[in-house]
Amino acid sequence: ITEKVQTAFKIGYDKRGNAIAMPWFDKDGEIINIKFRKVSDKKFYYAEGQAIRNHLYGLNFIHKMNLKRAYIVESEIDCLYLWSCGVPAIAIGGSNLTQQQRRLILLSPLEELVIATDNDDVGDKVKQYIVKNLLGSMELYEFPFPAGRKDINELSKNEMADSIKAIKKVGMTGLLKVYSTT
């Protein structure tokens, strides 16, 4: 994650908890909560604030820049990595897109969404849910992961460039796939 992106997203460090602090903002850029990730392991905890399930990480920049296209990922780290690569992104902060998050997407300036959820069973379920709930409301695209890569932040700059060139539009076949597997 570049220093520029860390600064823009106001990433910090909690010495007492030995954790990275990732503030969450609403669409207008007001802080709503802080998610902490322990440095020593993959444990998360939150400050006392609004539920992140009602927000999208990075959406404030989508609104501020009036962006029409962004990637959607599960984690804040993946979102930050994409922004570090110059690719606008939002994160759901977990493995479920809520109806409130769906509403926020539909009310945003976004017209195109590239689905880059994790390359595993959970990520595939999230992707299917996104397609089922947003197809027809905006243009949807699927990010093709290179073999052996699970998270977008595992990709090198060259792998990112190759995958970006291979992005596929999700159409009726994507919708049929969703309904045939749910």
Side-chain angles (χ1 to χ4, degrees), residues 62 67-72 87-90 110 112-115:
I62 302 301
L67 297 173
K68 304 299 181 202
R69 182 180 201 175
Y71 285 46
I72 186 167
V87 177
I90 54 176
L110 291 171
E112 299 179 352
L113 204 55
V114 178
I115 305 166

Side-chain angles (χ1 to χ4, degrees), residues 2 4 6 25 28 32 34-35 37 44 50 52 70 88 98 104 110 117 122 129 133 136 147 160 162 164 173-174 182:
T2 64
K4 182 178 177 181
Q6 290 180 52
F25 302 91
D28 299 317
I32 60 100
I34 302 172
K35 184 174 182 178
R37 180 183 176 175
F44 299 96
Q50 295 179 33
I52 66 168
T98 67
L104 289 171
L110 291 171
T117 53
V122 173
Y129 186 83
N133 283 275
M160 276 291 296
D162 290 344
I164 287 171
T173 55
T182 56

Side-chain angles (χ1 to χ4, degrees), residues 135-164:
L135 189 65
S137 301
M138 61 179 35
E139 297 293 326
L140 298 177
Y141 299 87
E142 185 175 1
F143 182 85
F145 277 87
R149 299 286 195 251
K150 178 188 165 290
D151 291 322
I152 205 154
N153 67 49
E154 296 175 353
L155 276 64
S156 69
K157 296 260 185 193
N158 288 339
E159 289 172 319
M160 276 291 296
D162 290 344
S163 289
I164 287 171

Side-chain angles (χ1 to χ4, degrees), residues 21-174:
M22 296 173 282
W24 274 64
F25 302 91
D26 66 14
K27 68 178 184 64
D28 299 317
E30 298 295 321
I31 191 164
I32 60 100
N33 207 332
I34 302 172
K35 184 174 182 178
F36 297 89
R37 180 183 176 175
K38 291 284 220 176
V39 172
S40 57
D41 53 42
K42 200 173 179 179
K43 289 185 183 169
F44 299 96
Y45 60 96
Y46 300 86
E48 291 185 31
Q50 295 179 33
I52 66 168
R53 71 178 173 272
N54 295 326
H55 300 276
L56 288 159
Y57 191 77
L59 187 65
N60 55 314
F61 291 109
I62 302 301
H63 279 277
K64 184 177 181 179
M65 302 163 97
N66 196 33
L67 297 173
K68 304 299 181 202
R69 182 180 201 175
Y71 285 46
I72 186 167
V73 294
E74 293 171 55
S75 77
E76 299 87 351
I77 301 298
D78 289 337
C79 182
L80 294 167
Y81 178 71
L82 283 167
W83 280 98
S84 293
C85 293
V87 177
I90 54 176
I92 59 178
S95 58
N96 293 306
L97 177 76
T98 67
Q99 284 302 306
Q100 174 62 16
Q101 289 172 325
R102 177 188 178 273
R103 189 174 145 299
L104 289 171
I105 291 169
L106 294 174
L107 293 173
S108 76
L110 291 171
E111 297 172 0
E112 299 179 352
L113 204 55
V114 178
I115 305 166
T117 53
D118 291 356
N119 189 25
D120 59 14
D121 290 341
V122 173
D124 192 51
K125 285 180 184 175
V126 176
K127 176 174 50 178
Q128 290 177 26
Y129 186 83
I130 291 169
V131 170
K132 183 177 176 179
N133 283 275
L134 291 174
L135 189 65
S137 301
M138 61 179 35
E139 297 293 326
L140 298 177
Y141 299 87
E142 185 175 1
F143 182 85
F145 277 87
R149 299 286 195 251
K150 178 188 165 290
D151 291 322
I152 205 154
N153 67 49
E154 296 175 353
L155 276 64
S156 69
K157 296 260 185 193
N158 288 339
E159 289 172 319
M160 276 291 296
D162 290 344
S163 289
I164 287 171
K165 289 177 192 169
I167 287 173
K168 296 175 255 165
K169 186 173 181 185
V170 176
M172 285 308 290
T173 55

